[in-house]
Amino acid sequence: MVSSLRRIFELAVSLPRVALEALRLWWIGQRQAEDYYRCAAQAVELNNPYPAECVWIVSEVMWDEVWQRPQELARRLSRESVVVYISPVQLHRYLFSLRNRWRPFRAEGSCLVLSPLIFPLHYRFAPIYALNCVMMAWLLRWWLPKSLRVRVVCNSPFAWPFLTRLFFPSGKRSPNLARLLYDVIDDFPSFEWAPSYARALEEQFLTKADVVTTGTYELWNMHRVQRPDAEFIQCGVDFELFNRPAGPMPEDLAGLPQPMIGYWGSISDRLDFRLLEKLARQLPQASLVLIGPVRTSLPLPQAPNIYYLGLKPHEELPRYAQHFSVGLIPFLVNEATEKLNPVKTLEYLAAGIPVVSTELPDIIRFFSHAVIVARDADDFIAKVREAIDSPDLDRIRAGIAMAQNASWDYLAKRFATRLFGSDSATMAVSAEGVQGGEQ
């Protein structure tokens, strides 16, 4: 009760922060946007000191939180083009998760990151959502000089209202919009927290987008009737990062009982909390380590050997993985999760640890020779115990080989081809180490 009251108080007193940060980004955009674009163009060594075109990546995934497909894409596309990564942050995410990691604006070479604070309860109340969309359109308009043509990659159906204001005013397409690519990374409309109008927003994207891509085979299968030109582009992994020697054990792992069973990613309603608690209680000699932000209002799994370590920088994860005896993919299997293809799968495999998963369709389809798939909770626990006691070295070797051939550079190359179309020759994204058949 005290914690809930504290959160309500912090939200109330921090609401003016949203308005102040909006004014700050407006001021930067109004006065300095063209200068930042110019500096970004120089960072990428473009011939033109001021870019005629750039790429906007409008993302549901916050830059400062769990690192995954959208941020990897931004990093790689920014090698050859000016990229603006736009990810609004609800106020409570800043207060209770990101804290000092969050910044409203940063310039990282040729990648500009905009993370505007928006009002909380964004998806729960339509008037707040509408207000946030108006504010986002107002802010971004100052980052859209009249001479600039933008190739937009968007992975969030909830961005449609403010993108419409910017690029489809009065229903007509703006000449500023060179191409619109909708990257379906999750079935957001099926999530429990999604508003009733989420599916209608996605239909607008599927109708208006020049290009549609998906991050999982199941999502491609779902949308290919409406968009037969859609392409499934498999996620990748930074193999060198996750496969190298881990180095010293992180301080917050030191002293925990061995063996360690690990998971990283968002700790959300999509995880099977009953399974995790049952696993911990049936393996009391092991430590169940959960790394990542808590994004649920449900009671978390509790047991003496469950350890919540919070959000870690992406580059620190290999130090944790290589001290795990098993990596977990413990998702519920339902409408909201059956279309997942978790990025962490390849990260675990690259680290050379056994991986045990629930029956996600994409895991079965693409990873069953490397990942141990369990039928139910009892089977999951038995397979974790077996992986600890007798690791399957053939599976581990197969997983390492699979991860070695799954490059983020390949993903960026495919995106450049779809995003730039016939102009893709001008967007020769670096593809060092890319193999021919990652998918």
Side-chain angles (χ1 to χ4, degrees), residues 197-212:
Y197 47 81
R199 192 66 71 186
L201 294 176
E202 182 164 81
E203 287 296 315
Q204 291 289 325
F205 257 118
L206 291 169
T207 300
K208 295 285 189 181
D210 302 302
V211 179
V212 175

Side-chain angles (χ1 to χ4, degrees), residues 141-422:
R141 188 166 284 115
W142 298 102
W143 289 86
L144 187 64
K146 291 181 180 179
S147 60
L148 190 69
R149 280 171 56 80
V150 181
R151 297 182 186 266
V152 176
V153 177
C154 184
N155 59 48
S156 171
F158 307 109
W160 182 250
F162 65 79
L163 290 180
T164 299
R165 288 174 174 268
L166 289 170
F167 297 112
F168 295 92
S170 305
K172 295 183 179 180
R173 182 168 174 143
S174 166
N176 289 103
L177 182 61
R179 183 159 293 195
L180 176 61
L181 188 155
Y182 182 41
D183 185 32
V184 191
I185 61 171
D186 240 323
D187 188 20
F188 289 119
S190 70
F191 285 16
E192 186 177 346
W193 49 260
S196 59
Y197 47 81
R199 192 66 71 186
L201 294 176
E202 182 164 81
E203 287 296 315
Q204 291 289 325
F205 257 118
L206 291 169
T207 300
K208 295 285 189 181
D210 302 302
V211 179
V212 175
T213 57
T214 73
T216 77
Y217 181 92
E218 289 294 314
L219 286 169
W220 171 80
N221 200 38
M222 174 182 177
H223 293 304
R224 67 191 176 102
V225 173
Q226 184 174 351
R227 290 299 301 253
D229 60 332
E231 180 181 359
F232 162 47
I233 304 179
Q234 173 73 284
C235 290
V237 64
D238 188 338
F239 181 79
E240 297 301 325
L241 175 66
F242 282 89
N243 189 253
R244 70 189 181 195
M249 179 180 287
E251 290 184 5
D252 48 4
L253 289 186
L256 297 187
Q258 296 277 4
M260 296 182 192
I261 307 164
Y263 164 88
W264 63 65
S266 295
I267 300 169
S268 70
D269 302 355
R270 298 192 292 178
L271 298 186
D272 191 334
F273 287 171
R274 289 183 180 179
L275 170 62
L276 290 172
E277 189 164 309
K278 187 175 182 179
L279 174 67
R281 294 190 181 280
Q282 291 202 17
L283 277 73
Q285 79 285 3
S287 298
L288 177 52
V289 177
L290 303 177
I291 298 171
V294 174
R295 302 189 66 175
T296 180
S297 57
L298 298 177
L300 294 172
Q302 297 296 327
N305 56 335
I306 296 179
Y307 301 91
Y308 294 93
L309 303 189
L311 182 64
K312 302 295 179 184
H314 182 68
E315 60 273 12
E316 290 293 313
L317 294 180
R319 295 180 60 214
Y320 290 85
Q322 294 189 19
H323 292 287
F324 292 162
S325 296
V326 183
L328 301 182
I329 305 175
F331 288 92
L332 293 164
V333 181
N334 55 32
E335 184 185 2
T337 62
E338 65 182 4
K339 301 176 185 70
L340 287 175
N341 189 330
V343 172
K344 63 183 65 60
T345 308
L346 285 166
E347 294 172 343
Y348 292 155
L349 294 176
I353 60 175
V355 183
V356 179
S357 174
T358 52
E359 290 186 302
L360 299 178
D362 267 29
I363 295 292
I364 296 170
R365 180 175 289 111
F366 298 111
F367 298 100
S368 57
H369 65 293
V371 173
I372 305 164
V373 179
R375 299 184 307 275
D376 53 37
D378 290 337
D379 190 38
F380 191 97
I381 294 167
K383 284 183 163 59
V384 169
R385 183 180 281 116
E386 183 181 347
I388 292 171
D389 295 338
S390 304
D392 187 332
L393 298 182
D394 288 338
R395 279 187 182 273
I396 291 172
R397 282 191 286 266
I400 291 172
M402 190 173 192
Q404 194 168 16
N405 288 325
S407 168
W408 283 120
D409 287 326
Y410 176 80
L411 172 134
K413 184 179 181 181
R414 290 301 310 145
F415 263 91
T417 299
R418 300 304 304 274
L419 188 59
F420 287 79
S422 59

